């Protein structure tokens, strides 16, 4: 009897699981963004002190539950030598968050090249894209109006997928929940093409 009840309980409580890549150059604020997302959506999660967040070497994994689904985030290191490993995760991903350091004008073209290289992968065809202009809490940063035209040059490669460009501050948390909620809706719309993983 226990097995039957336990099996029924698991069936009722299982959630669809979607994998989301967090990509961008090193120091764009990817890990800070992940921490902000976990803090906003996971009850009682305190989050890391932003001052103690160091450069990601490899991969950070985080998870949140929202709107009856589980999002598993893969925050991949953005250093040049680690970018070649990104494509190992493309095929299993259901969404992409690409984070731009709005305060780093000197590396904007580098970020654009890395973005172009990523978005042209066939393994990411049609996958929803959330493009975030991070560090909007700082003075004199590039706004979305300045950044959007730079990345719109990749319009052909972006194609007809769901795509949103928005300002965000991973440090203050401003814009984090709106972006995540948009991405969940976009991923659900795309689930016919990329069905969720089943999470027991």
């Amino acid at each position: 009897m226990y097995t039957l009840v336990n099996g029924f309980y698991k069936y009722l409580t299982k959630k669809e699981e979607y994998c989301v890549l967090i990509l961008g150059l090193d120091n764009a604020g990817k890990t800070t963004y992940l921490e902000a997302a976990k803090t906003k959506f996971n009850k009682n999660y305190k989050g890391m002190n932003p001052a103690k967040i160091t450069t990601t070497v490899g991969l950070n994994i985080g998870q949140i539950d929202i709107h009856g689904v589980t999002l598993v985030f893969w925050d991949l290191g953005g250093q040049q030598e680690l970018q070649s490993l990104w494509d190992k995760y493309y095929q299993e991903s259901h969404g992409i968050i690409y984070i731009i350091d709005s305060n780093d004008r000197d590396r904007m073209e580098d970020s654009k090249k890395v973005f172009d290289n990523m978005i042209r992968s066939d393994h990411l065809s049609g996958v929803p894209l959330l493009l975030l202009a991070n560090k909007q809490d700082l003075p004199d940063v590039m706004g979305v109006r300045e950044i959007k035209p730079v990345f719109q040059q990749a319009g052909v490669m972006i194609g007809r997928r769901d795509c949103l460009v928005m300002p965000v501050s991973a440090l203050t948390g401003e814009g984090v929940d709106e972006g995540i909620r948009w991405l969940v809706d976009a991923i659900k719309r795309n689930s016919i093409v990329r069905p969720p993983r089943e999470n027991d």
Side-chain angles (χ1 to χ4, degrees), residues 135-146:
K135 304 191 182 179
Q136 293 294 312
D137 53 295
L138 298 176
D140 303 321
V141 296
M142 294 178 73
V144 168
R145 284 185 179 178
E146 269 185 277

Side-chain angles (χ1 to χ4, degrees), residues 2-195:
Y2 169 77
T3 308
L4 180 63
V5 171
N6 189 43
F8 186 62
Y9 174 77
K10 280 189 173 181
Y11 172 76
L12 289 176
T13 58
K14 75 178 176 184
K15 293 184 178 176
E16 294 176 336
E17 185 176 282
Y18 297 98
C19 300
V20 177
L21 295 177
I22 303 177
L23 305 173
L25 296 185
D26 55 308
N27 200 38
K30 298 183 299 296
T31 304
T32 306
Y33 179 84
L34 175 58
E35 284 298 305
K38 291 192 298 187
T39 302
K40 281 197 178 279
F41 291 100
N42 293 339
K43 279 185 181 176
N44 303 322
Y45 182 75
K46 299 280 189 258
M48 287 173 57
N49 180 341
K52 296 191 176 181
I53 294 174
T54 58
T55 301
T56 299
V57 179
L59 166 73
N60 289 317
I61 297 175
Q63 181 176 308
I64 65 171
D65 292 328
I66 175 174
H67 298 321
V69 302
T70 298
L71 293 185
V72 177
F73 295 98
W74 296 332
D75 161 28
L76 303 178
Q79 300 92 320
Q80 193 170 4
E81 60 273 17
L82 297 175
Q83 292 166 17
S84 60
L85 302 174
W86 288 3
D87 62 357
K88 308 285 185 278
Y89 299 89
Y90 291 171
Q91 215 161 354
E92 291 182 60
S93 66
H94 298 91
I96 310 156
I97 298 173
Y98 191 85
I99 299 187
I100 301 155
D101 183 344
S102 306
N103 195 45
D104 194 350
R105 294 171 191 270
D106 293 341
R107 292 205 303 165
M108 191 59 62
E109 193 53 41
D110 291 342
S111 184
K112 167 73 166 54
K113 284 178 186 171
V114 169
F115 174 82
D116 287 352
N117 193 41
M118 175 269 297
I119 205 69
R120 72 171 48 102
S121 170
D122 290 339
H123 295 304
L124 291 176
S125 179
V127 172
L129 169 66
L130 179 60
L131 200 57
L132 298 177
N134 191 25
K135 304 191 182 179
Q136 293 294 312
D137 53 295
L138 298 176
D140 303 321
V141 296
M142 294 178 73
V144 168
R145 284 185 179 178
E146 269 185 277
I147 291 172
K148 198 172 183 178
V150 174
F151 287 83
Q152 272 183 334
Q153 294 168 20
V156 173
M157 292 178 283
I158 292 170
R160 296 176 66 180
R161 78 183 75 217
D162 279 331
C163 179
L164 177 66
V165 183
M166 66 176 291
V168 72
S169 169
L171 195 61
T172 66
E174 188 178 341
V176 171
D177 49 353
E178 295 93 329
I180 297 282
R181 290 179 199 282
W182 175 87
L183 189 61
V184 169
D185 291 340
I187 286 171
K188 283 181 173 180
R189 282 193 295 273
N190 197 48
S191 64
I192 297 165
V193 180
R194 291 222 176 183

